[in-house]
Amino acid sequence: MLFLGAPALAWAQQTVKGTVTDEKNAALPGVTVRIKDGTAAVASNPDGTYSIQTSGPADILVFSFVGTVTKEIAPGTQTNLNVTLLPDAQKLNDVVVIGYGTASRADITGAVTSIKAEEFNQGVLTTPAELLQGKVAGLNITKSGDPNQRPSVVLRGPSTIRTINGGVTEPFYVIDGVPGASIDLLAPDDIATIDVLKDASSTAIYGTRAANGVIIITTKRAKPGQSRLTYSAYGAVANVSKKIDMLSGDELRQYLVDNKTRPLAMPTDDDGSNTNWQDLIERTSYATNHNLSFTGAANATDYGASVNYLKNNGILINTSLERLIYRGFLNQRFFNNRLKLGINIINSSTTQNDIPQLNTGVLQNMLFYLPTVGPYNPDGSYKENYTRTGSGPLNPLSLANNNAYVTKDNKTLVNGLVQVDVLTGLRVTLSASTQRDQSNQSSYLNSQSGLAVNLGGVARRAEYVNTNDVLEAYANYDKTLGLHSFQLLGGYSYQQDRTNDGFGITTQNFANNALGANNLYLSNPSSLAQIGFDNNPISTLRLLSQYARVQYQYGDRYLAQVSLRRDGSSVFGVNNRYGYFPTAALGWRLINEEFMRGLPVFSDLKLRAGYGVSGNSQGFDAFSAILIYGTPPGSSKYLNNGAISNVVNAVRNENPDLKWESTATTNIGLDFGLFKNRVTASVDYYIKKTSDLIDDVLPVSSTEFQYTTYTANVGRMTNRGIEVALSVVPVQTAAFTWRSSLNFAHNKNNIDNLSTDRFTIPYIQTAQLGGKGQSGNYSQIVQPGSPLGTFKLWHYLGKNDQGVSTYQKADGSVTATQPLTTDMQLAGSAQPTLIYGWANTFTYKGFDLNFLVRGVYGNKILNATLAGLNNPADARLQNIPRFTQGEAFTDINAYLISDRFLESGAYLRLDNATLGYTLRPHTPYVQALRLYVATNNLFIITKYRGIDPEINIGGLTPGIDNQNFYPKTRTFTLGLSASF
C-alpha cells in the first residue's frame, strides 16, 4: 500500500517551472500564472521565469497578461513548461488612458468612453473636438458655419453661472500626458485615440481643473518593429445649406404698394435695382488638407514626425482659415530599457482673415440693407446713405471689402520626459513641458469704411504672449501577489500660467490706405483721445499639487480605486488657497464569477459605482480675489494740473474667502457584452452636484465696497442624468460586416440655491438682447428651482381685430401695446432633455460606408433673430423677410421678443456620410491606398425657423439665437490616404 501511495503523493506535490515569452521570444515579466478554479497564483519574474505548485495531474494552468491572448495549459506529467503569449488585438484596443497611466477597459471603475481613429468623424474639421461630435453619450458639441469660431463643448450639462470667459464650461484637455495643452495644437490626422473621462472618480486626479470632465488625447506612434510613411489629403467644396428668405427689390416695392404707404425715396433708397445682398456676400467655399507623417520603432528607439496643412476659405467673402502644424518626437531607451528619454515638439501656426459680422456688421446688413439699390455709384465707389436709419444702414459689400481683421496665432508645445524603471514594477517619471501661445491681431478700417466715417482710417494692433509651464514628477508601482493586484500612483505637479504679456493700441488718420494696420507711426491723430490702449493687465498664477491613487484587483473579479489630490492655487483668496479632491470607486466583474458560467449568452458583465469631487478653476486670472485699481469701464482721461491723466479707481473688490467651484459626482454604471461581444453596452446614472458657484458680477453697495460688483461663491447646482451607449455587430461574414453604435443621454439641470449667509440673491437676470425699445430687457433668468437657461418672456396672445400683436399682462389682462418687464413669465428652458447619436459602418471586401445621424430633443431656442427681422413698418427703411408678408403693416409690436419666437430646438441631422474603397496592392512598397467621398450636413429634420437649430448651449445664456446670421454649410469632400 505504501508503494502504491507514493506516486499519488508525488503528484500532489509537483512543481511546474518555466519561462514566459512574447511572440519575439522576449521575456515577459509580471505574467499571472494561476491554477484554474483554484486560489494559487504567482507572477513571472523580470526574466520571465515562474514556479508554481500544482495539486494533481488534472490541474490546468492559466497564463494571462495585459494585451495578450490568455492561454490555458494542462501540464500533465511535465515539470518544465515554457509558454509563448501572443498579442490580443482586441485587448490592445481596450487599453484606456487614464490620469498618469493606462488601464485595461475591464479594470476601469469610472465612466470612460474611448474613441479610436477609425471611428472619428470625416470632413472639413477646424478643431479636433469635432471628431467626437455625436460619438460620446452626454457630450454635446455645437458649432456654427464660421471656420474661425470654436465649437461649444459641454459634458453632462452646465456646472457654472460665471460670465467671464463664458464660464469655461469646456472639458480639461490632456495631450500625450501634458495637462492643459491646447487642443488646437493637433491635426486630426495625428490623433490615435481620444478618451473622455466623465465622472469625478475618473477626473478628480486632475483636481481643480476637472469639474467639466477630462479629454485625454493620444497621438499616433509606431508599433515595435514597424516603420510607416503615410500621406492623406482631401479637397472639399461647401455651399450655403439654408438662407434667411428676404424680399427682392420688386417684392419690397409691391409690399409697400399693397399696404398703401409712401414709396421709397428715389434715387437714394430706390434706384430701380433688384440686389440680392446675400448672393454678393456669400460664395462657394473651398477647402484643402494635406498630412504627411512617418513613424518608426526599432530596437530601443521610436520616433516620428508629421506636417499638416489646412486651408479653408470661408463661405463669406474675404474670410479664411489657414493653418500649418509641425510635430516631431523621439524616444530613446537605455540600460536594457530601464531608462527612457523622450522629447515631443508641436508647433501650430494659424492665420484667420475675417470681416465685421456682429451688430453693424456684414451679416446683419446683408439682410436688412435695401435690395432696391445697387452696390456701386456710377464712378465705381460704394453706394452709401449714412442718413438712413434702421437696422441696415451700411452697404454690406463695402463693409466686407473696406474692413480687414487678421489674427495670426502661433502655438508651440515642447515636452521632455525622463522615465526610469527603478525596480520590477516601479517606474518613476519626470515630465516637463512649456507651451507658448503668441497671438498677433490687426484690424484696419480704411478711409472708405462706413464704420469709421471721416476718420482717415482706423488701425489696431495687439500682440500678446501666453505661456504655460508644467512640471510633473510621479511614480507608478504595479505589484501582483497571488490573486491580488495593486497599482499605486503618487506624484507632484507644479504649473505656472502667464497671460496677457503684451499690449494693444488703436490709432487713426492715415495719409492713405496702402499700408493697412502696418507702421502705426504714420497715423496722425488730432488728439490724445484718438489713441487707445487695451486694458488687458498681465497676469501670472501658479498651481501646486500633490496626488495619490490606489487601484486594487482581486481574482480578476473585484475592483477598487481611491485617489486624493491636493491643489494649491494663487488665484483664490488667502483663506482658501488649498483644496482636497477625494474619490472612491468599486467594480465587480460578474462575468468571472462561477455562477455566470451557466449563462453563456453573457460575454462580459461588470458593475461600477464611484463618488468623487473635482473643481473648476479655469478661466481665472491672478487678480480674481484681491483689490486692484485701474481705469473703470466708461472712464477716460482728465486734466490734472494741466497734465492729461488716466482715471484710476478700484475695478475689483477683495474677497479673501473666494474659492473654486466644487463638483461632487456619484456615478453608477453597468457594462455588459452578449453573444461573444457581438452586442456591448454601457449604462451610467449620475448625480452631479456643484457647490460654491461663483458669481463674478454680483452687484454690491458702493457704501460697503469700493467697486460696484463683487466676485463671490453664492450657490449650488445639480445635474442628474442617464447615459446609454450601445454597440452591435448585426452581420459579420468573411466578406461583409455591419457595425452599429447608438448613444443617447438625458440630463436634468436645476439651480438649487443662490444665497449665502452674507448675500441673498433671489435671482440673476441674463440675456440682454436689445432691439428697438428693448435695450434694458432681459430674456432669461437664473433662479432656484429652475434650470440654467430658463426663459422669461412676454406671453403672446395672438392678433387683435386690427392685426396688432397682443400680450398678457401680469394681472391677466390683454394689451396691444408694449408690455412692462414685470409682465414677463417663465416660458421654458434651453436645456435639451435628450441628445443622441447613431453611427453605422458597413464593409464589403474593399468598400466601406459610414454615416452618422445625431440630434437633440426637448430644448427651446429663442429666435430673437427672426423677431428683430419682423418689423413691417420699417419696410420703408430696410428689407424684411418673406415671413413678415403675413404680418399686418399696422402691427407695431411684431418685432417684440416674446414666447411667440420661442421655438422647439429639436432636430435630427445626417451629419456625415462617407463611402470609401481601400486597395491593398501586393507590393513591398505600398501597404494600402484608400479613396473616399464624404458629405457633411446632408439633410436636417427640424421645425426651427432660423438658420439652424444647432445653437450654442454653453455659458450663462444658452439657446439664444440673436443675430445668428452666419450661414450653415453643406460640404462635399473627395479624399485619399496612403500608407507605405
Side-chain angles (χ1 to χ4, degrees):
M1 292 177 60
L2 289 174
F3 254 109
L4 292 174
L9 185 63
W11 282 120
Q13 300 299 322
Q14 180 172 316
T15 298
V16 179
K17 300 180 180 180
T19 303
V20 186
T21 57
D22 61 15
E23 78 279 10
K24 297 180 179 179
N25 205 34
L28 277 179
V31 176
T32 299
V33 185
R34 63 182 177 87
I35 297 176
K36 189 174 182 179
D37 300 330
T39 58
V42 297
S44 61
N45 299 314
D47 59 357
T49 60
Y50 73 94
S51 177
I52 188 170
Q53 198 106 16
T54 63
S55 59
D59 279 351
I60 296 175
L61 296 183
V62 180
F63 297 81
S64 59
F65 187 68
V66 175
T68 65
V69 178
T70 299
K71 275 192 175 182
E72 296 185 2
I73 301 175
T77 60
Q78 299 180 74
T79 57
N80 188 55
L81 180 63
N82 296 325
V83 177
T84 299
L85 296 183
L86 300 176
D88 185 338
Q90 180 64 37
K91 287 187 176 180
L92 288 175
N93 288 336
D94 284 345
V95 172
V96 177
V97 180
I98 58 176
Y100 306 102
T102 60
S104 168
R105 173 162 295 283
D107 297 336
I108 293 295
T109 54
V112 181
T113 299
S114 299
I115 305 296
K116 312 298 181 185
E118 58 269 19
E119 303 173 88
F120 291 161
N121 291 324
Q122 300 286 326
V124 182
L125 308 176
T126 57
T127 173
E130 297 170 44
L131 297 170
L132 301 177
Q133 200 166 27
K135 299 287 187 178
V136 179
L139 183 66
N140 198 340
I141 301 175
T142 57
K143 62 179 181 178
S144 76
D146 187 352
N148 293 324
Q149 181 176 332
R150 292 175 56 88
S152 166
V153 183
V154 178
L155 180 64
R156 290 187 165 182
S159 56
T160 185
I161 60 170
R162 293 177 53 213
T163 57
I164 297 177
N165 292 326
V168 189
T169 59
E170 198 163 351
F172 183 64
Y173 294 101
V174 180
I175 299 177
D176 286 335
V178 179
S182 172
I183 192 175
D184 296 327
L185 278 164
L186 292 178
D189 294 277
D190 287 337
I191 299 175
T193 62
I194 300 178
D195 297 283
V196 182
L197 282 56
K198 301 178 183 180
D199 66 326
S201 68
S202 304
T203 64
I205 197 68
Y206 291 105
T208 61
R209 301 162 292 180
N212 299 316
V214 176
I215 294 180
I216 300 179
I217 300 174
T218 304
T219 57
K220 293 179 178 178
R221 298 285 196 272
K223 296 179 181 179
Q226 285 187 342
S227 179
R228 289 284 179 266
L229 174 66
T230 62
Y231 171 73
S232 61
Y234 66 73
V237 58
N239 292 291
V240 174
S241 60
K242 183 179 180 181
K243 298 183 179 183
I244 295 179
D245 193 7
M246 306 298 291
L247 298 186
S248 67
D250 288 341
E251 289 171 332
L252 181 61
R253 296 183 186 98
Q254 187 62 46
Y255 178 79
L256 295 176
V257 171
D258 292 344
N259 286 281
K260 299 180 176 57
T261 187
R262 68 174 186 269
L264 296 168
M266 301 178 66
T268 54
D269 293 338
D270 187 355
D271 60 10
S273 296
N274 252 319
T275 306
N276 188 319
W277 293 103
Q278 292 186 75
D279 286 349
L280 292 177
I281 299 301
E282 298 167 352
R283 64 182 179 182
T284 298
S285 170
Y286 299 95
T288 184
N289 183 84
H290 300 269
N291 195 89
L292 179 65
S293 68
F294 71 89
T295 57
N299 298 324
T301 306
D302 60 281
Y303 54 89
S306 67
V307 58
N308 178 269
Y309 173 76
L310 169 68
K311 178 66 180 292
N312 186 2
N313 292 316
I315 204 72
L316 304 182
I317 61 174
N318 298 329
T319 65
S320 65
L321 168 68
E322 188 172 20
R323 185 175 63 208
L324 185 64
I325 298 176
Y326 297 99
R327 169 177 167 260
F329 66 90
L330 173 65
N331 296 307
Q332 181 67 47
R333 289 173 290 277
F334 302 91
F335 310 120
N336 197 25
N337 293 337
R338 285 188 174 274
L339 172 64
K340 177 182 177 181
L341 302 179
I343 186 169
N344 185 46
I345 301 175
I346 308 176
N347 177 263
S348 173
S349 179
T350 302
T351 300
Q352 297 173 321
N353 289 283
D354 221 329
I355 55 179
Q357 294 180 15
L358 298 178
N359 300 324
T360 57
V362 173
L363 293 171
Q364 182 179 14
N365 282 272
M366 77 177 185
L367 299 178
F368 283 112
Y369 204 73
L370 288 172
T372 52
V373 295
Y376 303 105
N377 292 311
D379 62 359
S381 62
Y382 289 104
K383 183 174 290 186
E384 298 277 16
N385 180 7
Y386 295 133
T387 64
R388 186 185 300 137
T389 58
S391 298
L394 301 177
N395 185 325
L397 199 60
S398 172
L399 283 172
N401 292 324
N402 288 323
N403 302 280
Y405 296 82
V406 181
T407 299
K408 295 184 178 182
D409 187 83
N410 191 282
K411 291 182 173 68
T412 302
L413 173 65
V414 180
N415 179 41
L417 179 76
V418 178
Q419 199 171 78
V420 183
D421 290 342
V422 181
L423 301 169
T424 301
L426 176 60
R427 173 173 292 175
V428 177
T429 303
L430 176 65
S431 172
S433 67
T434 179
Q435 180 175 303
R436 187 177 190 271
D437 182 359
Q438 179 172 345
S439 177
N440 297 336
Q441 304 170 16
S442 65
S443 64
Y444 186 66
L445 319 181
N446 71 26
S447 58
Q448 304 304 312
S449 170
L451 299 177
V453 179
N454 298 324
L455 297 182
V458 176
R460 177 181 181 269
R461 291 292 296 269
E463 299 187 5
Y464 292 100
V465 175
N466 299 329
T467 56
N468 172 265
D469 300 317
V470 179
L471 178 66
E472 298 266 8
Y474 56 92
N476 296 91
Y477 181 63
D478 299 347
K479 184 66 175 177
T480 300
L481 299 172
L483 297 180
H484 305 273
S485 176
F486 298 88
Q487 290 179 290
L488 310 180
L489 166 72
Y492 168 85
S493 176
Y494 168 88
Q495 178 174 335
Q496 176 176 287
D497 294 341
R498 183 176 174 88
T499 58
N500 292 333
D501 189 354
F503 66 95
I505 184 172
T506 303
T507 185
Q508 64 185 57
N509 197 12
F510 293 83
N512 56 56
N513 298 317
L515 297 176
N518 299 302
N519 299 329
L520 297 187
Y521 72 92
L522 294 175
S523 66
N524 187 28
S526 60
S527 68
L528 190 61
Q530 294 179 351
I531 301 176
F533 291 91
D534 288 1
N535 185 9
N536 288 325
I538 193 170
S539 171
T540 301
L541 59 90
R542 295 180 180 89
L543 181 71
L544 301 178
S545 309
Q546 303 85 39
Y547 48 88
R549 180 178 63 211
V550 178
Q551 294 169 273
Y552 170 73
Q553 177 195 124
Y554 176 77
D556 208 21
R557 290 175 292 172
Y558 309 117
L559 312 168
Q561 174 185 300
V562 294
S563 70
L564 178 65
R565 182 171 179 126
R566 178 179 183 263
D567 276 346
S569 174
S570 63
V571 169
F572 297 101
V574 293
N575 298 331
N576 285 304
R577 287 284 169 84
Y578 288 89
Y580 294 87
F581 302 92
T583 69
L586 297 172
W588 182 13
R589 296 205 66 207
L590 289 88
I591 192 63
N592 291 332
E593 294 289 355
E594 184 68 29
F595 59 79
M596 290 298 298
R597 296 189 179 183
L599 300 172
V601 66
F602 283 93
S603 49
D604 190 20
L605 185 61
K606 181 174 67 173
L607 281 172
R608 299 176 280 107
Y611 172 84
V613 180
S614 54
N616 185 2
S617 64
Q618 297 288 89
F620 288 90
D621 60 44
F623 316 114
S624 298
I626 63 175
L627 175 66
I628 59 174
Y629 289 84
T631 301
S635 300
S636 58
K637 305 178 187 299
Y638 68 101
L639 283 175
N640 182 11
N641 294 326
I644 298 178
S645 301
N646 287 315
V647 173
V648 177
N649 206 337
V651 294
R652 182 176 293 169
N653 293 305
E654 180 182 21
N655 184 356
D657 297 319
L658 183 67
K659 59 183 177 181
W660 38 65
E661 298 170 328
S662 294
T663 298
T665 304
T666 300
N667 193 100
I668 300 173
L670 172 67
D671 304 324
F672 65 87
L674 304 174
F675 312 113
K676 296 183 179 180
N677 281 350
R678 290 284 292 270
V679 178
T680 60
S682 293
V683 181
D684 284 273
Y685 172 75
Y686 62 87
I687 301 175
K688 188 171 76 166
K689 292 182 175 291
T690 303
S691 57
D692 301 317
L693 289 173
I694 294 177
D695 185 352
D696 42 26
V697 288
L698 178 67
V700 291
S701 170
S702 58
T703 59
E704 183 180 0
F705 297 92
Q706 295 196 46
Y707 192 57
T708 55
T709 63
Y710 193 64
T711 301
N713 303 96
V714 296
R716 299 188 305 273
M717 178 191 300
T718 298
N719 287 277
R720 287 181 170 86
I722 186 170
E723 299 167 348
V724 177
L726 175 66
S727 295
V728 184
V729 185
V731 181
Q732 186 171 34
T733 68
F736 178 74
T737 301
W738 172 23
R739 299 180 185 276
S740 183
S741 61
L742 172 68
N743 72 81
F744 57 88
H746 163 73
N747 181 78
K748 183 178 181 180
N749 175 264
N750 184 69
I751 303 294
D752 300 328
N753 186 27
L754 283 177
S755 299
T756 65
D757 295 338
R758 187 177 184 186
F759 301 103
T760 299
I761 309 173
Y763 55 82
I764 300 172
Q765 297 186 94
T766 61
Q768 276 191 317
L769 306 183
K772 188 168 65 174
Q774 303 171 91
S775 58
N777 293 359
Y778 295 91
S779 295
Q780 285 186 341
I781 188 169
V782 181
Q783 64 180 11
S786 300
L788 189 70
T790 295
F791 293 99
K792 191 172 185 181
L793 304 164
W794 288 315
H795 180 44
Y796 175 72
L797 293 175
K799 311 278 189 178
N800 62 14
D801 294 340
Q802 290 75 43
V804 178
S805 296
T806 62
Y807 304 89
Q808 185 179 67
K809 295 182 67 65
D811 59 6
S813 61
V814 180
T815 179
T817 60
Q818 180 169 329
L820 303 175
T821 57
T822 53
D823 297 320
M824 291 182 172
Q825 304 176 18
L826 297 182
S829 167
Q831 299 297 333
T833 56
L834 182 71
I835 61 174
Y836 59 89
W838 181 38
N840 288 270
T841 300
F842 303 88
T843 59
Y844 176 71
K845 296 184 177 179
F847 291 93
D848 62 87
L849 172 65
N850 306 274
F851 69 84
L852 170 68
V853 175
R854 62 179 178 87
V856 302
Y857 175 80
N859 60 312
K860 296 292 186 180
I861 298 175
L862 179 57
N863 194 348
T865 298
L866 182 58
L869 287 166
N870 189 40
N871 199 343
D874 277 356
R876 293 170 297 193
L877 305 170
Q878 63 194 36
N879 201 8
I880 57 175
R882 195 168 307 280
F883 171 84
T884 304
Q885 286 183 307
E887 307 287 278
F889 191 77
T890 55
D891 191 350
I892 59 173
N893 300 324
Y895 62 88
L896 293 179
I897 297 175
S898 69
D899 59 6
R900 179 191 183 190
F901 298 100
L902 190 65
E903 306 180 31
S904 169
Y907 68 87
L908 181 150
R909 188 195 306 276
L910 179 55
D911 196 57
N912 60 68
T914 304
L915 175 63
Y917 178 74
T918 302
L919 177 66
R920 300 185 184 275
H922 299 289
T923 70
Y925 306 109
V926 181
Q927 183 185 24
L929 178 66
R930 180 173 182 263
L931 297 172
Y932 67 91
V933 292
T935 180
N936 294 85
N937 189 26
L938 191 60
F939 69 80
I940 184 171
I941 300 174
T942 184
K943 294 181 180 180
Y944 184 63
R945 295 175 293 179
I947 284 284
D948 196 274
E950 192 171 318
I951 300 296
N952 190 336
I953 65 166
L956 189 61
T957 56
I960 300 288
D961 181 346
N962 188 39
Q963 299 186 17
N964 180 39
F965 307 129
Y966 205 102
K968 198 77 173 182
T969 61
R970 180 172 294 115
T971 306
F972 298 91
T973 305
L974 175 63
L976 68 89
S977 59
S979 54
F980 307 94

